[in-house]
Amino acid sequence: MGKKRVRENFELPEGQEWCCISHSFQRVALKNPNKIAVIQASPTAQLHNQSLASSHIPPPYHGDRSFTFSHLFDAIDSLSFRLRSILAGAQDPFLINPTGLLNRFLWMQEFYPLLGEEILLFKTSISFVDHLQEFLGAILSACTLVIPPFNELKQNPFHVIDYLKAYSVTRMTAVPSLMRVIIPALQSEENMQVQNSLKFLVLSGEILPLSLWNTLSSLLPQTSILNLYGSTEVSGDCTYFDCRRLPRILESDSLSSVPIGIPISNCNVMLVGESDTSNEGEICVNGLCVNIGYFPDPNVMPLDYSNLSHGSLCNCSINDNESQLYFRTGDFARRLQSGDLVFLGRKDRTVKINGQRIALEEIENALRGHPDVVDAAVIFRKGQGELELLEAFIILKRTNESDEVLRSCIGCWMVEKLPLVMVPNNFFFTKSFPMSATGKVDYASLAGSISMAHIQDEIGGIKSNDLLEVIKKAFCDALSVEKVCNDDDFFMMGGDSIAAAYVSYNLGINMRLIYNFPSPSKLQVALLKKEGSSSIDVGIDDIGSLKSDTCDLYSSKPCGTSSKPVFENNDKYPVTSKCLKVDSNTYATSKSVIPCDGCPWNSNSVPMLCSFSRCNKVMCEVESKMKNICHTTWSIEFPRNKSGFMRELWKVHMESCVDASAIVVFKDWDIYLLIGSHSHKFVCVNAKSGFIRWGIELEGRIECSAAILDDFSQVVVGCYSGIIYFLDFSNGNICWTFQTRGEVKSQPVIDKRRNLVWCGSHDHYLYALNYRNHCCVYKLPCGGSIFGSPAIDEARDILYVASTSGRVTAISLKVQPFCTLWLHELNVPVFGSLSVSSNGNVICCLVDGHVLAFDSSGSIVWKGKTGGPIFAGACISHALPSQALICSRNGSVYSFELEGGDLLWECSVGDPITAAAYVDENLKLVSDSSLSSDRLVCICASSGSIHLLKISWDTTGRVHRPTEFARLELQGEIFSSPVMIGGRIFVGCRDDYVHCIAVEAQSSLSN
């Protein structure tokens, strides 16, 4: 890689000595005890309706609160811990080190000094690093700081002008987008005073377009404008450009944005490019400005640093034997002949289209040059199939022409300015952009508004009757019915949350609308009323979101109402009444049950320590025993032309719907089943007899499957209150809990190599919980709610997770801190769990029916397509080599070849399927010694029917199309994925029971 040295200066200005911020402030405060340090300003309404209280500069108004340096010095002990840490020179665990802050201040004092007579405006949010320099710059230079009410500036940015004018502010820091917004107010004759009083304007945080500089320099001819570049990790700023130098640079370089300049004192900046001769590359920063790292707070994301060997750098004067730590910013820049850097874009704002790297900021700058455009924001997204789209959002100066005419004019104008690949595919006109707390454009919200614009455009162009037919068709598809009448209730016709999610996806609306307006006619009226309204909230992630404001996000203690045990010493829940055997005599004596002697269901079975859960997930205490347990099978001779039979052995009443899947645990000579329900009950049941061992009532309903720690001491399960519980396996007592900010529907995944539990939440985060130290060590934003469980590739130490936004993320677990290897934005929700095959490919099922296989590098290996939506993950089993079984809502099961994605077979069960398949890996049906043994696959349809498919293949390895081996109807819908071990099926049902079902042979029954 090529590395270009920009500037190196590690010497302090002559005569200056390093001093901590606390001592610097002490000297200023003692020297100026009666000088006003801070003015807590009145609201603008009070400023406009009163005369000055005095003629002082700055002029205090009635309602202002003023604090002298003496007041501020006396109040240090009562300041927040964070501010005390900064003033005392301590390392701030949440932000940056004070050495970098002081270096930034001293550099500013050397080149652009703050004088005691100056007045500064404190307008930056405390979540943005620039607020520290606004505050410290004032109090360390004996200047006065005006602090306006932040809610006013947030609600109306034009109030900035009011405070600039009222207090004769001389220096201000802002983001370019804010200045662009207030330009009309600056142009007003009433605000000419600002042009005279504002002497220094610092712009940072965003690209400064050349067109904006032109406007500002003409409006503020007496104001010095400084363009800074940096981030929190480099103490706020690391490079600067004085805009007074810009005219000379423009004589030799054609630019669309103002340069970010050269490094400040005691900072070193390099461009890491693709070759030694490249003048472009990623910005890497080193020096006093760089933070040495956060304190080991497990809840804070670590920094991204790189060790760059100085011996390999061009023109390097540092000792070749040294290796210096550089921070890789993720930003790209180009070096001009003058040595100044020009910002090209961020990694996440730089995209590749048709093999060409494109900076979205460059497109935005070009759009801002159009005479009808005030501002522009551009995003990149992937549409249907392989389509890659550039979408431009534009704020117009005037709207007297039709939208289509303007779109055409702007498109033609852009073709002349940029290569064709950089011309946006779509143009959206808007009155304003969503802004973040730091005053920057919120691109994530902007991307979400595309769906909004699409919905409004579609609804606006559809006649009332046509919209009604569109809704009715969506209802029919989700309910698998041929006809829906105008006033039919979606839920009375059998609709559920899964079907509602499918309708919301197809219509592109919030799922809440379906619950509030469950008939086609009511939904039609609701959508037409909301036509053109920004209140239509697109997406499914807001459904049932919980407000857990009273609970600590990282609590390791029970929150709210204490969870209480049930079924033990409680007359209301007698243990024996909870187990209802269908026919205990038959169960005890029948020889028609398929498994033979020696199977785990007989008393003489071998002791094991392992667990089985949905999608054929198996975990053993000792990893070396995994293969032995997975390949332990019981065979029975059974003619291929014969069918089987299923009957219920026992069922346990759970008092409400059972949508969660069971986990079956083999421990010593006992076998246990653990499962929860909507009634908040979570139970441990003897899987042989159906008797309850213990039960507990949690704080929310339970829809996710449980997991068990590697030492089999604790059970982990989440619930709708957002709490993840760690329960004692022996008695159900709560060991500890962790509070998220949303429902937990994702099955936890045990990472025993690192003593972690990985679990997703409705709050859009994936959490890593250390179950030894009872704390959260890592959390990752995933862009949407996480319904399916993550998957870990143990061989490669990679974790994969997907969300309802369609984002799939790969995380390297090799070393801590963990880092993201890659992510894909599929733009289609993922509800099912991810699965990893033996060759390292991860299988991802999308709700639109597509199936994708990624390799460990993030490349798409193959794509498949089913005939309907998919809400469950792929089932991968060693018993069916090289196959991934996918269940679809169209009622079919699909088998895709794992290597290439070829469709091996498809089998319809006749009813919609929401749950995942399960292959009985511990049972073989042997019909002839010359033929291969057959396997049974359990499929549970949403209607309540359980299907056993028999899969056969010949000696050549050719798979035959499955045939139905047995079928059983339950009295409720099934959304629980089954677990099947040695001829036993465990599944939850919406008849409020968890069922144990045995497979039997028809021939045995006939005898």
Side-chain angles (χ1 to χ4, degrees), residues 608-610 665-672 711-713 729:
M608 294 185 286
L609 198 57
C610 60
V665 177
F666 286 66
K667 191 171 184 182
D668 301 327
W669 280 270
D670 292 317
I671 306 174
Y672 304 97
D711 61 0
F712 288 72
S713 63
F729 178 75

Side-chain angles (χ1 to χ4, degrees), residues 89-109:
Q91 177 76 24
D92 184 351
F94 298 97
L95 196 61
I96 52 181
N97 70 64
T99 303
L101 287 175
L102 190 58
N103 178 67
R104 160 69 167 77
F105 169 75
L106 293 175
W107 161 79
M108 179 67 80
Q109 287 299 92

Side-chain angles (χ1 to χ4, degrees), residues 225-265:
I225 300 176
L226 202 63
N227 190 33
L228 302 184
Y229 163 81
S231 65
T232 300
E233 295 86 353
V234 294
S235 306
D237 303 298
C238 60
T239 70
Y240 74 103
F241 181 80
D242 191 328
C243 292
R244 289 176 294 188
R245 298 174 47 229
L246 188 56
R248 178 171 295 181
I249 289 179
L250 291 176
E251 293 176 2
S252 57
D253 292 283
S254 177
L255 302 175
S256 60
S257 65
V258 176
I260 58 175
I262 57 178
I264 67 173
S265 302

Side-chain angles (χ1 to χ4, degrees), residues 7 36 53 60 117 274 293-294 374 402 430 530 551 566-567 588 647 675 683 762 810 851 888 940:
R7 181 181 176 187
I36 294 179
E117 296 77 20
E274 297 179 354
Y294 291 105
V374 174
S402 72
T430 182
K530 289 180 177 289
C551 295
V566 298
F567 313 141
R647 69 180 177 87
I675 197 168
V683 298
H762 196 82
V851 182
S888 173
C940 294

Side-chain angles (χ1 to χ4, degrees), residues 1-4 271-276 278-282 332:
M1 292 190 299
K3 295 100 180 165
K4 294 297 180 182
L271 296 185
V272 180
E274 297 179 354
S275 66
D276 292 338
S278 175
N279 282 323
E280 296 183 6
E282 184 179 357
F332 289 91

